[in-house]
Amino acid sequence: MMSKQRSSFFMHIPPLLQLLLLPPILLLFMALMVSALDNYTRADFPADFVFGAGTSAYQVEGAAFEDGRAPNIWDTFVRANKDNYNGATGDIACDEYHKYKEDVQHMVDTGLEAYRFSISWSRLIPSGSGPVNPKGLEYYNNLIDELIMHGIQPHVTLYHMDTPQALEDEYEGWLSRNMVKDFTAYADVCFKEFGDRVLHWTTINEANSLAIGGYDNALSPPGRCSLPFGLVCPKGNSSTEPYIAAHNLLLAHSSVVKLYNKKYKATQHGFVGLNIYAPWFLPYTNTTEDLIATQRAIEFYIGWFLHPLVFGDYPDIIKKNAGTRIPVLTPHESKLVKGSFDFIGLNHYATFYIKDDTSSLKMEIRDINADMGGSIMYEPGDSSQDQDNGSSGLYEVLEYLKKVYANPPTYIHENGQRTVRDGTLNDTERVKYMHAYIGTLLDALKNGVSNTKGYFFWSFLDGFEVLGGYEYAFGLLYVDLNDKQLTRYPKLSAHWYSNFLQGRSIRTNEITEVVNGTFGSSKSQASQ
Ligand SMILES: *[C@@H]1O[C@H](CO)[C@@H](O)[C@H](O)[C@H]1NC(C)=O
Ligand SMILES: *[C@@H]1O[C@H](CO)[C@@H](O)[C@H](O)[C@H]1NC(C)=O
Ligand SMILES: *[C@@H]1O[C@H](CO)[C@@H](O)[C@H](O)[C@H]1NC(C)=O
Ligand SMILES: *[C@@H]1O[C@H](CO)[C@@H](O)[C@H](O)[C@H]1NC(C)=O
Ligand SMILES: *[C@@H]1O[C@H](CO)[C@@H](O)[C@H](O)[C@H]1NC(C)=O
């Protein structure tokens, strides 16, 4: 049916125009075919549930040395670890700093209801503390206004791996308690300047993987570690620093929540939460050892932050295995941290398998991974990191949060699929991935096992990725880096999401009827 329609459509069009029209038309037809998977629509979700997509400042903004933005630890990290990135940097990235109006238009075309982005601390307050940069203020005001003008909710992350370099140099960033004061003062500026229009604030993105990536295995800024863990680092202590950084992250987060509640909540009526990396874990085999190791992994990844936030202390197993290397939450700190959130942000990509490895607990020098006493495995027989192992892990994470942490309000802040950035727009695998995960989320909502308020796809654009820079892509839109204009091209996944969000999803049994409808309304998209 597809090829028949295409040939009759093409008969009346000159050959050259046919060639130009081919890619968008193909995408439309592919979108229709893939939509045939759907057995749910946007209308099955609550009306106040929000769907969006996300990015972070360093990964898309560019303009790294423009208009008063000062360096942060990302700028330093990519230069110190050129091999990780083939020498690439986020200096220009997607240039969203200059192209934000165009990007908001793409969001409108995709039907996004919300955009999750982060504020670059060193763009707004270049030295980390002290005077505000008027150009930085202007940029975020413009971006927020542009979003609101188009009916797109801004969901703002205050910190996404980018400590101002000045604070890293002065007192080693998250290793110091000084961060609590400076981060709170920075958040105060953001609430004061943007809080009249921004209702959803996330203090810190992936607090747990930041502590591990930044201070244990050195895969992300500030890239600290010590032997025998991680890469070879000039500075660091993988045994202690992840726990210290995590402790200061918790204190800084709760201090910001306290500030918001005291000074802004009554007038701005917004919500403040913390975000964690939340994979799901299954036992590698069904031996008792692997089952217990899997429970440990869940406590080390999810409980590390959620246990203090909900109960005011770290999980017993972490305290036991880390011993004196994990700071004690004093009664005063515990009181501050406990209950300090309106929602929990979850970045969920995949399910992994855990193999017991308690021999690591006998090692004299241990990092957090050794304290966990288990190895993270991908699918048995498949060593690919891109293996997502199905969407049921998302259901299980949400069910776990309900059971153990009293069903907190959550946002799925990131969910997405990594592919090699080869310029293909035909990302059918990504469409299947989105379809499966959004469907699983709907099941979780319908069965009452989750209190999820929104879903954000990672990512809106093919940006500068934490692992691998521009080698890999997660975007709904491809950004052509060989083109000076950095032109954006919607992938099949963007078309699918757009159809879904605009209520044009197709139920298998209604396909003929809806194919006509979708094709009609998609024509205008193709001609834009
Ligand atoms: C859609 O189909 C899948 C697979 O058959 C099923 O698990 C899911 O519950 C269905 N969702 C809805 C909303 O019917
Ligand atoms: C890390 O810190 C601990 C506790 O202070 C210390 O015993 C250990 O020697 C340090 N390791 C390194 C590599 O500096
Ligand atoms: C472990 O048992 C569960 C439940 O019986 C089963 O679904 C799963 O496939 C088993 N896992 C392995 C690795 O054998
Ligand atoms: C798109 O990708 C799918 C699966 O990878 C493949 O079956 C299909 O033929 C591709 N379509 C085009 C037009 O390349
Ligand atoms: C859809 O298109 C087919 C083929 O062009 C046509 O026969 C059919 O009547 C159309 N259906 C609707 C509901 O418009």
Side-chain angles (χ1 to χ4, degrees):
M1 184 196 78
M2 190 178 111
S3 59
K4 187 164 157 254
Q5 283 198 11
R6 198 194 305 147
S7 56
S8 59
F9 180 75
F10 269 76
M11 260 182 348
H12 311 285
I13 298 176
L16 188 64
L17 196 56
Q18 282 186 25
L19 217 70
L20 287 172
L21 279 172
L22 198 58
I25 295 289
L26 269 184
L27 275 175
L28 285 175
F29 275 104
M30 287 187 296
L32 296 181
M33 278 180 46
V34 176
S35 311
L37 294 167
D38 294 358
N39 62 347
Y40 59 80
T41 70
R42 170 68 180 92
D44 292 323
F45 287 83
D48 63 354
F49 190 94
V50 73
F51 279 99
T55 60
S56 87
Y58 187 75
Q59 296 175 274
V60 299
E61 267 182 16
F65 306 104
E66 256 178 77
D67 287 350
R69 175 188 176 282
N72 64 41
I73 58 175
W74 249 125
D75 298 301
T76 309
F77 183 78
V78 296
R79 284 167 175 74
N81 296 276
K82 286 196 169 74
D83 293 349
N84 296 8
Y85 300 110
N86 261 334
T89 70
D91 290 2
I92 300 172
C94 305
D95 201 23
E96 185 159 278
Y97 185 73
H98 295 110
K99 296 170 84 73
Y100 70 92
K101 284 193 179 183
E102 180 188 332
D103 281 341
V104 172
Q105 189 53 51
H106 284 299
M107 292 172 209
V108 171
D109 293 343
T110 313
L112 297 193
E113 299 160 5
Y115 180 47
R116 174 178 181 254
F117 63 94
S118 78
I119 290 177
S120 162
W121 185 347
S122 71
R123 190 184 294 288
L124 191 64
I125 303 178
S127 319
S129 64
V132 171
N133 170 21
K135 287 284 191 186
L137 197 58
E138 186 187 332
Y139 171 65
Y140 293 110
N141 270 324
N142 287 344
L143 173 61
I144 291 165
D145 287 345
E146 190 74 12
L147 288 166
I148 293 200
M149 195 168 83
H150 288 91
I152 298 171
Q153 294 178 15
H155 285 234
V156 175
T157 307
L158 293 172
Y159 181 89
H160 201 120
M161 292 190 188
D162 53 355
T163 308
Q165 190 62 39
L167 302 186
E168 193 69 22
D169 293 344
E170 189 186 332
Y171 53 67
E172 298 192 319
W174 290 115
L175 294 177
S176 166
R177 291 280 168 116
N178 291 336
M179 274 295 261
V180 178
K181 169 177 63 66
D182 286 338
F183 185 63
T184 307
Y186 157 61
D188 198 3
V189 171
C190 294
F191 296 150
K192 176 167 150 280
E193 299 291 345
F194 312 125
D196 57 334
R197 289 153 292 157
V198 175
L199 291 178
H200 297 88
W201 298 96
T202 302
T203 53
I204 291 147
N205 178 70
E206 288 194 12
N208 50 352
S209 53
L210 159 64
I212 294 174
Y215 301 89
D216 182 358
N217 61 29
L219 289 176
S220 61
R224 297 174 66 103
C225 68
S226 61
L227 288 171
F229 308 104
L231 312 161
V232 178
C233 299
K235 287 186 202 165
N237 185 335
S238 298
S239 301
T240 53
E241 290 184 1
Y243 293 115
I244 295 167
H247 197 78
N248 291 328
L249 284 164
L250 273 171
L251 298 180
H253 158 80
S254 53
S255 161
V256 166
V257 172
K258 189 175 168 190
L259 167 80
Y260 190 84
N261 289 345
K262 214 168 96 185
K263 198 166 160 187
Y264 297 100
K265 186 115 182 168
T267 50
Q268 297 185 351
H269 313 293
F271 309 92
V272 187
L274 179 86
N275 173 287
I276 59 167
Y277 175 61
W280 187 242
F281 296 111
L282 290 173
Y284 190 67
T285 70
N286 276 331
T287 55
T288 310
E289 288 77 13
D290 282 356
L291 288 167
I292 295 172
T294 301
Q295 183 55 37
R296 275 200 306 276
I298 295 167
E299 303 250 25
F300 271 80
Y301 272 78
I302 294 174
W304 191 11
F305 281 83
L306 284 206
H307 212 87
L309 286 176
V310 175
F311 300 116
D313 200 5
Y314 294 112
D316 286 341
I317 187 71
I318 303 187
K319 289 197 291 182
K320 176 162 170 260
N321 292 2
T324 56
R325 288 176 288 116
I326 186 165
V328 173
L329 277 161
T330 65
H332 172 72
E333 292 170 353
S334 167
K335 216 175 128 213
L336 192 71
V337 168
K338 187 176 169 179
S340 65
F341 62 91
D342 295 314
F343 64 84
I344 301 296
L346 301 170
N347 292 358
H348 178 90
Y349 288 86
T351 296
F352 301 115
Y353 292 85
I354 298 294
K355 200 169 160 180
D356 175 75
D357 183 15
T358 27
S359 67
S360 67
L361 286 168
K362 299 194 186 83
M363 288 159 55
E364 203 168 322
I365 302 177
R366 300 204 295 270
D367 67 345
I368 186 160
N369 221 38
D371 290 337
M372 189 173 97
S375 310
I376 297 180
M377 317 290 286
Y378 303 105
E379 175 113 60
D382 184 346
S383 61
S384 162
Q385 260 197 66
D386 298 325
Q387 179 69 40
D388 74 72
N389 294 322
S391 57
S392 59
L394 177 61
Y395 194 100
E396 305 222 32
V397 170
L398 294 169
E399 196 165 41
Y400 186 79
L401 259 58
K402 176 174 180 176
K403 220 168 51 195
V404 178
Y405 298 115
N407 211 15
T410 55
Y411 283 89
I412 309 305
H413 268 159
E414 294 182 18
N415 173 241
Q417 189 189 53
R418 184 173 94 152
T419 51
V420 174
R421 187 192 186 112
D422 58 6
T424 181
L425 301 180
N426 177 24
D427 58 345
T428 44
E429 289 307 312
R430 184 169 285 114
V431 172
K432 285 184 198 154
Y433 178 101
M434 291 178 84
H435 176 264
Y437 275 94
I438 294 174
T440 296
L441 183 56
L442 180 59
D443 289 342
L445 285 170
K446 284 197 160 158
N447 296 344
V449 303
S450 105
N451 189 7
T452 304
K453 308 288 185 193
Y455 172 95
F456 291 80
F457 193 73
W458 183 269
S459 58
F460 178 56
L461 300 172
D462 283 352
F464 182 84
E465 275 304 325
V466 177
L467 304 178
Y470 300 117
E471 299 287 301
Y472 298 102
F474 283 79
L476 294 168
L477 273 69
Y478 168 66
V479 179
D480 185 357
L481 299 177
N482 297 319
D483 167 2
K484 269 211 161 66
Q485 302 302 314
L486 296 170
T487 306
R488 284 86 158 116
Y489 297 93
K491 300 179 196 175
L492 183 60
S493 52
H495 287 282
W496 180 82
Y497 205 30
S498 161
N499 273 335
F500 167 67
L501 292 177
Q502 298 178 34
R504 294 200 302 259
S505 245
I506 293 170
R507 286 170 198 274
T508 322
N509 57 350
E510 294 171 4
I511 192 149
T512 321
E513 186 188 336
V514 186
V515 161
N516 289 356
T518 310
F519 187 49
S521 53
S522 301
K523 254 196 207 155
S524 56
Q525 274 185 353
S527 63
Q528 267 171 19

